[in-house]
Amino acid sequence: KSRNQQYGVDPSCEDIAPVGDTPVVLECSGSNGDDMVVLVTDIGSGQSLFTVQPPPPGTSLPPSINCTILSNATSPPEELQWNVIDTSGDAELDLKEAYGALQLESCSGLGVEDKVCVEQLVLETLLRNVGADTMNVTLVESRIN
């Protein structure tokens, strides 16, 4: 079994054959049995972005999604890995979280353009010695809530 990082639920991921650098096809269905719409964007270096939408587009995701990764190099396509991802809202979906060979990269909402889900955060810290003694800074920590 591969690692599915979704915390506190029982989603699963099972390896059937190595994914490797093989060209792949992704097929997804909802827990309601409906096939999901999978859009593919080639981003180069042998990587692709897959966008998974419910049928019809613009509706809510089902409580869970079952995605199967298939080899596009064999005929018929060979099953390489399957994943079940909880999309009910009862479990966290964190950006950059891994579901076997899949990773959550971005998000969008109903009737909303793609949300900016990853932003660069720059923290500037100014430390000033206002005393007469020499100051050695050995550690600076920040906490963001």
Side-chain angles (χ1 to χ4, degrees), residues 19-34:
V19 175
D21 293 332
T22 305
V24 297
V25 174
L26 184 68
E27 293 179 354
C28 297
S29 61
S31 53
N32 56 6
D34 289 344

Side-chain angles (χ1 to χ4, degrees), residues 3-74:
R3 183 167 181 193
N4 186 329
Q5 293 179 315
Q6 200 166 25
Y7 178 74
V9 293
D10 192 28
S12 51
C13 172
E14 187 164 333
D15 291 323
I16 297 138
V19 175
D21 293 332
T22 305
V24 297
V25 174
L26 184 68
E27 293 179 354
C28 297
S29 61
S31 53
N32 56 6
D34 289 344
D35 287 338
M36 307 292 287
V37 176
V38 179
L39 306 172
V40 183
T41 305
D42 183 12
I43 58 173
S45 301
Q47 294 184 328
S48 297
L49 290 177
F50 296 93
T51 303
V52 179
Q53 299 175 342
T59 60
S60 296
L61 291 173
S64 66
I65 298 173
N66 182 348
C67 289
T68 303
I69 300 172
L70 303 150
S71 170
N72 203 16
T74 60

Side-chain angles (χ1 to χ4, degrees), residues 118-124 142-145:
V118 179
E119 287 283 350
Q120 181 179 1
L121 177 63
V122 177
L123 297 175
E124 292 184 18
S142 297
R143 174 174 258 173
I144 301 171
N145 292 329

